[in-house]
Amino acid sequence: LSEVMKAPKRRIDNVITNLHDSVHLLQMHAVVAEDVRSRYSRRLWENRMQEMSSVVLGCGMAGLGMYLSIPPQFTGGVVAATVVGVGGMKWWNSNKLSDVEEQLLSVEELSASFQRTHPQEVSEADEFYASVWARIRDPLRLSLQRTGLGDFPALKKGDLADLQRILDEEIPRLRRLASPAHSGKAD
């Protein structure tokens, strides 16, 4: 009979434990996804800078040609070469960016991102983090593939701080509230 009476307290403890586990899953998911997204974004901006630099260089050469009164055929040729060159560069960069996205979403590269974002846990062979990683690796990969790295939203620093606050403050507070000594009374 006493074990039956303890069931509600056990249920509360199980809910708190599930919350703790879910926050850890979400935190690792967010950190690894942000690492992959930021690496993709860096490559995207490198490509855009190449393209914009080429446009500026071509326009600058065309403007210089007009300023120096070089025949219009030359200036027109520079403009045409710039348009064709930048168009080709845009096509090449978009193909390479697709290849980069595919590589970043491979199991090997996702594991490398996990190792990069959790170096201490990896070096200590922390079994808890290894099990969390094993649980989120495939769902994370599917999530990133479905959304696409170009459309995946950036993580805000405040979001990680909120998750850490839940782990450090809220969950211990809930455990104290659920403990028999407090019997559900607030702090």
Side-chain angles (χ1 to χ4, degrees):
L1 186 61
S2 67
E3 292 301 314
V4 172
M5 299 305 284
K6 292 179 185 177
K9 290 179 184 175
R10 283 194 195 119
R11 197 172 317 123
I12 290 171
D13 188 54
N14 288 343
V15 169
I16 294 170
T17 300
N18 285 338
L19 174 64
H20 182 264
D21 188 48
S22 296
V23 171
H24 272 290
L25 289 169
L26 182 58
Q27 186 179 43
M28 185 178 288
H29 190 285
V31 169
V32 174
E34 179 59 20
D35 179 67
V36 173
R37 189 211 58 79
S38 68
R39 292 177 61 221
Y40 176 85
S41 181
R42 191 174 321 124
R43 182 65 182 263
L44 175 67
W45 281 101
E46 287 172 2
N47 289 350
R48 287 180 179 170
M49 290 304 294
Q50 283 179 343
E51 294 159 7
M52 289 306 297
S53 298
S54 298
V55 167
V56 168
L57 179 65
C59 290
M61 287 179 59
L64 182 64
M66 289 175 30
Y67 176 75
L68 296 176
S69 300
I70 295 179
Q73 295 85 351
F74 175 78
T75 304
V78 168
V79 169
T82 299
V83 168
V84 169
V86 170
M89 184 184 295
K90 178 100 173 119
W91 174 80
W92 176 261
N93 284 344
S94 71
N95 286 340
K96 286 299 171 189
L97 199 58
S98 295
D99 293 344
V100 166
E101 182 172 13
E102 187 176 316
Q103 179 195 9
L104 287 172
L105 296 178
S106 69
V107 173
E108 297 82 19
E109 196 59 37
L110 285 174
S111 293
S113 287
F114 165 68
Q115 292 173 2
R116 198 173 21 261
T117 57
H118 295 81
Q120 183 176 359
E121 293 83 358
V122 169
S123 70
E124 294 173 356
D126 189 317
E127 290 182 21
F128 175 73
Y129 282 92
S131 70
V132 171
W133 173 242
R135 288 174 60 194
I136 72 157
R137 182 182 50 231
D138 292 334
L140 172 64
R141 183 171 182 236
L142 290 173
S143 172
L144 291 172
Q145 283 176 334
R146 281 189 201 130
T147 305
L149 293 177
D151 296 327
F152 205 80
L155 181 67
K156 299 176 185 121
K157 291 195 187 268
D159 294 341
L160 281 180
D162 287 343
L163 289 173
Q164 195 60 47
R165 183 184 53 74
I166 291 169
L167 287 171
D168 294 342
E169 297 172 16
E170 298 299 323
I171 290 176
R173 185 179 68 78
L174 289 172
R175 288 205 190 277
R176 284 190 304 273
L177 287 173
S179 72
H182 287 90
S183 58
K185 296 179 184 171
D187 285 335

